[in-house]
Amino acid sequence: MNKNRYLLCLLLCGLLLYYAAPRMGVFNGGTEGIFAISWLALALFVIAGNLTALLFAPKKAAASGKRVRKMAERKRVRSFGR
């Protein structure tokens, strides 16, 4: 469920960048240039954070619990009645 949210946030941020980046004057002087640079930096932080969360999300604990139980059952089968 969270992966879908991270992907949606990435797509929305990409859409905002696609729409806003050509209209911003990064090399303009004064407040307009500072706003454009800070907005683009914030957008890059959003992309980096969502990509990090998407790529390095921990695996579900239930899957590892199944694996441990499955290995314990195999061990019991091979113990030959001990």
Side-chain angles (χ1 to χ4, degrees), residues 1-37:
M1 177 91 174
N2 280 340
K3 287 188 178 187
N4 292 337
R5 191 189 82 187
Y6 297 140
L7 187 61
L8 178 67
C9 288
L10 279 172
L11 290 174
L12 286 174
C13 189
L15 180 71
L16 287 173
L17 276 173
Y18 179 77
Y19 181 76
R23 291 167 174 76
M24 283 196 216
V26 177
F27 299 110
N28 292 348
T31 313
E32 186 179 349
I34 293 171
F35 173 78
I37 291 171

Side-chain angles (χ1 to χ4, degrees), residues 63-78:
S64 64
K66 283 183 181 179
R67 187 181 312 158
V68 170
R69 275 187 250 124
K70 194 173 186 181
M71 289 178 71
E73 288 176 14
R74 283 185 187 170
K75 195 172 191 177
R76 276 188 249 147
V77 170
R78 293 182 184 171

Side-chain angles (χ1 to χ4, degrees), residues 21-53:
R23 291 167 174 76
M24 283 196 216
V26 177
F27 299 110
N28 292 348
T31 313
E32 186 179 349
I34 293 171
F35 173 78
I37 291 171
S38 62
W39 194 89
L40 289 174
L42 181 66
L44 289 177
F45 284 143
V46 168
I47 289 173
N50 283 309
L51 272 177
T52 302

